[in-house]
Amino acid sequence: MPVVSPAAYLRIYEPLAAFPPSDRVRWQRYAASGPPSSRAGARRERVVALVATVRPSLDVADESAFIQWVDGLMFVCPWSTQLRVWQAAREFRGQMPERVAEAFLPRRLADPAEVELDRWKARRPEIKLHVQTCTWMVPPTWFVLFDPAERALITGDNADRSMIYRTTMSLARRRVGRAVEAMETLRSGTANVPAIEGVAELARWLGSFHPQSRVELDYDGLVDLLDDDMLRRDTSVEDIVEAVSALRRGRTDLAVEAYERVLIRWRPLQSRESAS
């Protein structure tokens, strides 16, 4: 199996009714075929992503999805793997000097990505990405969306070992909205706002989905880098909740302390990225 970097995933599961009729039929058939579990599906998707980097084809027939059933209703999180790979390629080249970008992602691969992305977006202007990925850590902004009570932790030496947070779209939007409001209030004054970057972008991303959607944070491959005790003692969500609460009270000092606890917790994993 190809070697891939351990990653965490932020996923949006939309209700079946949010999709066009043709897609509903396709996803119903897909669900009936017995799709893989989240853990097995994530492993399979990582392999698919590696293939996608050298095969510039956005063939919808190859698409898979994660499926959830809640209170008898079906929720779908399309992988959109090829689209995500090529969009990431475009963003990567846009953020790097040309000589550096060429060394890691040559034009012979990037140019087909540009063509395919433009073609796909012209055919499906309504398409959106239901998955965000981050290797070697969980971005602090993602923790804003959840409450500590929404954690599902499975420890032990088994294939189901996992750390997942799940919530509703309405709660996630409410929480990220409070965070944006708190930071904007302080930003208008003289206070030094903690560097919780990307919260506004995260809010806009959530706003593009059906209001009855569900939101999931999956540590996925990161659990292989953390032992059971470390997973149990991970209070990243609690710390970010505390940081936002402190911001809303005008206690920037306490917000900075809480946010730095999260950075310190994830720094050892980030250091592995540069060493790998």
Side-chain angles (χ1 to χ4, degrees):
M1 178 177 291
V3 177
V4 294
S5 298
Y9 297 86
L10 186 62
R11 306 185 182 111
I12 306 296
Y13 290 76
E14 289 196 280
L16 188 63
F19 295 89
S22 59
D23 286 347
R24 292 179 210 166
V25 173
R26 179 162 57 90
W27 292 132
Q28 285 175 320
R29 290 174 178 168
Y30 178 80
S33 68
S37 65
S38 293
R39 188 77 162 136
R43 290 195 184 99
R44 176 180 149 197
E45 188 198 11
R46 289 196 293 272
V47 175
V48 172
L50 288 176
V51 175
T53 59
V54 295
R55 180 179 59 85
S57 173
L58 291 170
D59 185 0
V60 72
D62 292 336
E63 190 166 350
S64 301
F66 293 110
I67 304 293
Q68 282 186 5
W69 291 90
V70 181
D71 297 330
L73 298 178
M74 179 176 162
F75 292 79
V76 183
C77 175
W79 290 3
S80 303
T81 307
Q82 184 72 75
L83 186 62
R84 286 163 47 211
V85 165
W86 288 123
Q87 181 156 309
R90 170 185 282 180
E91 293 173 354
F92 175 83
R93 288 197 65 94
Q95 296 170 358
M96 296 287 178
E98 179 63 25
R99 290 181 61 183
V100 176
E102 187 65 22
F104 288 93
L105 187 62
R107 277 287 177 190
R108 63 183 175 80
L109 294 179
D111 286 345
E114 297 283 343
V115 173
E116 288 295 327
L117 273 174
D118 292 341
R119 178 178 68 85
W120 188 256
K121 289 180 178 179
R123 288 170 48 193
R124 300 282 299 275
E126 79 289 351
I127 198 167
K128 51 200 172 188
L129 298 182
H130 291 69
V131 183
Q132 293 192 23
T133 306
C134 184
T135 56
W136 296 103
M137 69 171 296
V138 179
T141 51
W142 293 4
F143 296 122
V144 170
L145 307 179
F146 303 94
D147 181 86
E150 293 165 343
R151 182 173 77 171
L153 173 62
I154 301 177
T155 58
D157 186 17
N158 60 76
D160 295 326
R161 189 170 180 269
S162 61
M163 177 98 139
I164 297 175
Y165 287 86
R166 294 189 178 100
T167 192
T168 63
M169 179 61 76
S170 60
L171 286 174
R173 286 179 177 172
R174 189 180 311 162
R175 291 162 183 161
V176 75
R178 286 199 295 260
V180 170
E181 179 183 345
M183 287 188 290
E184 289 298 331
T185 299
L186 289 178
R187 197 171 284 128
S188 63
T190 58
N192 180 25
V193 181
I196 305 179
E197 300 175 353
V199 177
E201 289 78 3
L202 185 60
R204 285 192 289 271
W205 182 61
L206 293 181
S208 67
F209 296 99
H210 192 282
Q212 300 302 315
S213 299
R214 301 184 63 81
V215 186
E216 175 183 272
L217 166 57
D218 186 354
Y219 278 42
D220 192 61
L222 299 185
V223 301
D224 297 330
L225 307 178
L226 303 167
D227 61 35
D228 287 354
D229 189 51
M230 295 171 71
L231 289 174
R232 294 189 190 98
R233 292 187 290 106
D234 182 356
T235 58
S236 297
V237 169
E238 289 90 335
D239 291 332
I240 292 299
V241 169
E242 182 179 336
V244 172
S245 176
L247 282 177
R248 289 169 61 84
R249 302 194 311 273
R251 292 298 306 272
T252 309
D253 56 332
L254 297 180
V256 170
E257 290 178 7
Y259 182 66
E260 287 183 344
R261 288 199 297 270
V262 177
L263 297 182
I264 291 171
R265 182 176 298 114
W266 289 98
R267 195 166 291 146
L269 265 65
Q270 283 184 285
S271 66
R272 294 195 189 188
E273 180 178 17
S274 59
S276 63

